Amino acid sequence: MGNNGVSYHALGNEVPPTQDAVDKLFSGAALQTQTVNKADGPALKPWPMDSLNSVKPTNVHSHNDYTRDIPVYSAMSAGCIGIEADVFYSDGDVIIGHTSPTPGRTLTLQYVKPILAILNHNNGGSPGPNGFYKAKPEQSIILLVDFKTSDTRTLDAVVKAIQPLREAGYLSHLSGTTFVEKQVTVVASGSAPFDRILTGDGVPNRDVFYDAKVDQWNTAYNSSNSYYASADFKDAIGNPGSVGAFSQLQQDKVKAQVQTAHAAGLKVRYCKFPSLDPDIQRHYKVRRLTFFSRQPAWRLYVGAVGRARRRPLERRRYVRHSEVAPDTIDWNDLTRTAYTHSFYFGLFK
């Protein structure tokens, strides 16, 4: 609580409320009023750099992060190791939005500069070896950039936008034929041009990787040009609509796709599972979860997760529009609770 009457205890979840009574416990507090920005500036200003020092990262991906009350910071408070931003090409730059991008709200201002500031702060004020989370400085994060425009200049604008992270030495990149993991791995999804990423055309540092099509496999996909292999589950596998409709043929198809991607060194994501009638939804998802949980060395990404770092159950219940894969999953607990939400699945090595 600052002397301005603003409480900061819930800042990671939403704009904090005013609590005048608690304010009387403090005098001369150094806290300032933080402003949330979803336009032409950093997501949060001033940034409370040391407020989340104890947060430990977990396998959570902040899906459509820019829609949150406080982009970047909400994800960080939940321990996310993946952050997603949708971008549109506009007048030499890339601006953020899903269907209606906000002019002036650029990838640089809302994501690159805040991430750079956090990393520099964690390294004593200048570039260094530490990562996004002080509690686990060796942890790398994924910045997933979903291209909403197919204009070839979109890639050029993204490459330009991430230049500050490149100059600081924070970007994962290709060295010869070897993937070198650094603090931030940039993955281009959506309408990103694979042919240019494959050859390095316009990506001279080879520090942008592709989100491959797991259901439209190209033998050129490998860990030197791609990071993820993704698909819409309905398009890639089918749309079963009953408890017993997730057939053996469909299960075998999932296994084959994942094995192919894993052999190429890629991580697999499935999203947009079929919607079901409420009376069969729970049992169907329990059946599906049981199948995925039995696959060797796979992790499950579940959408609808938000009040994050308490425990796996709460992550699954409350962090909306995210994807989660705890290192250790209580499958009995998961099948009892997770069916109430929309699902995004990723099967990862």
Side-chain angles (χ1 to χ4, degrees):
M1 175 65 64
N3 55 16
N4 49 25
V6 177
S7 169
Y8 293 86
H9 75 281
L11 193 55
N13 294 313
E14 58 185 21
V15 178
T18 298
Q19 300 286 350
D20 293 334
V22 181
D23 182 50
K24 294 181 171 37
L25 299 175
F26 293 83
S27 61
L31 292 176
Q32 304 176 53
T33 301
Q34 275 121 323
T35 58
V36 177
N37 192 341
K38 291 187 177 182
D40 54 350
L44 191 66
K45 184 178 181 181
W47 199 275
M49 290 294 185
D50 290 310
S51 63
L52 298 175
N53 286 354
S54 63
V55 173
K56 295 181 180 180
T58 191
N59 292 316
V60 179
H61 174 80
S62 182
H63 178 65
N64 291 350
D65 180 78
Y66 53 89
T67 63
R68 301 187 184 284
D69 286 338
I70 308 176
V72 181
Y73 189 88
S74 295
M76 189 178 181
S77 70
C80 293
I81 62 170
I83 299 175
E84 180 178 342
D86 294 354
V87 300
F88 290 75
Y89 177 79
S90 176
D91 194 24
D93 207 343
V94 278
I95 56 177
I96 293 171
H98 189 66
T99 55
S100 301
T102 303
R105 191 182 188 193
T106 66
L107 182 68
T108 298
L109 292 173
Q110 288 263 290
Y111 285 91
V112 173
K113 287 189 174 181
I115 290 172
L116 178 66
I118 293 166
L119 290 171
N120 282 345
H121 177 78
N122 289 352
N123 284 285
S126 61
N130 294 330
F132 203 62
Y133 291 99
K134 281 192 173 183
K136 191 177 179 182
E138 71 276 17
Q139 176 67 58
S140 178
I141 65 168
I142 310 301
L143 177 59
L144 181 67
V145 184
D146 190 345
F147 288 39
K148 294 299 183 182
T149 46
S150 56
D151 190 313
T152 185
R153 293 172 293 181
T154 309
L155 177 60
D156 299 327
V158 169
V159 170
K160 179 181 177 181
I162 60 177
Q163 180 63 23
L165 293 171
R166 181 181 297 114
E167 291 176 347
Y170 288 138
L171 292 182
S172 299
H173 58 274
L174 196 65
S175 177
T177 58
T178 303
F179 175 76
V180 179
E181 185 177 60
K182 300 289 285 186
Q183 287 92 333
V184 181
T185 300
V186 177
V187 179
S189 186
S191 298
F194 175 65
D195 56 342
R196 293 187 59 193
I197 293 173
L198 172 65
T199 62
D201 177 18
V203 195
N205 292 79
R206 305 302 295 272
D207 49 18
V208 175
F209 296 86
Y210 191 61
D211 182 14
K213 316 296 184 186
V214 73
D215 59 333
Q216 301 172 32
W217 191 255
N218 185 328
T219 56
Y221 294 154
N222 59 55
S223 59
S224 70
N225 54 58
S226 304
Y227 188 84
Y228 287 139
S230 305
D232 180 313
F233 187 85
K234 293 181 185 179
D235 293 340
I237 306 301
N239 188 23
S242 66
V243 175
F246 188 32
S247 69
Q248 187 62 50
L249 180 63
Q250 290 171 327
Q251 293 182 30
D252 291 342
K253 193 172 184 180
V254 171
K255 291 178 182 179
Q257 290 181 355
V258 172
Q259 287 169 359
T260 298
H262 282 182
L266 308 187
K267 305 179 190 299
V268 182
R269 299 190 311 150
Y270 287 112
C271 64
K272 297 182 181 178
F273 276 82
S275 298
L276 301 167
D277 294 333
D279 59 334
I280 63 173
Q281 190 174 49
R282 177 181 183 276
H283 297 288
Y284 171 69
K285 287 184 175 179
V286 168
R287 179 187 177 95
R288 189 169 62 216
L289 289 168
T290 301
F291 162 69
F292 286 133
S293 72
R294 289 173 179 167
Q295 307 315 308
W298 290 9
R299 297 177 186 173
L300 177 66
Y301 273 52
V302 181
V305 262
R307 217 180 284 173
R309 282 298 315 172
R310 303 294 186 269
R311 55 193 177 98
L313 174 59
E314 290 190 359
R315 280 203 299 276
R316 289 191 294 275
R317 280 181 174 168
Y318 299 114
V319 180
R320 292 178 292 177
H321 307 304
S322 296
E323 302 169 4
V324 61
D327 289 326
T328 302
I329 296 176
D330 180 344
W331 292 99
N332 292 326
D333 177 48
L334 179 59
T335 55
R336 282 197 302 270
T337 62
Y339 67 87
T340 58
H341 308 296
S342 61
F343 277 53
Y344 291 87
F345 284 102
L347 309 176
F348 283 63
K349 275 188 174 179

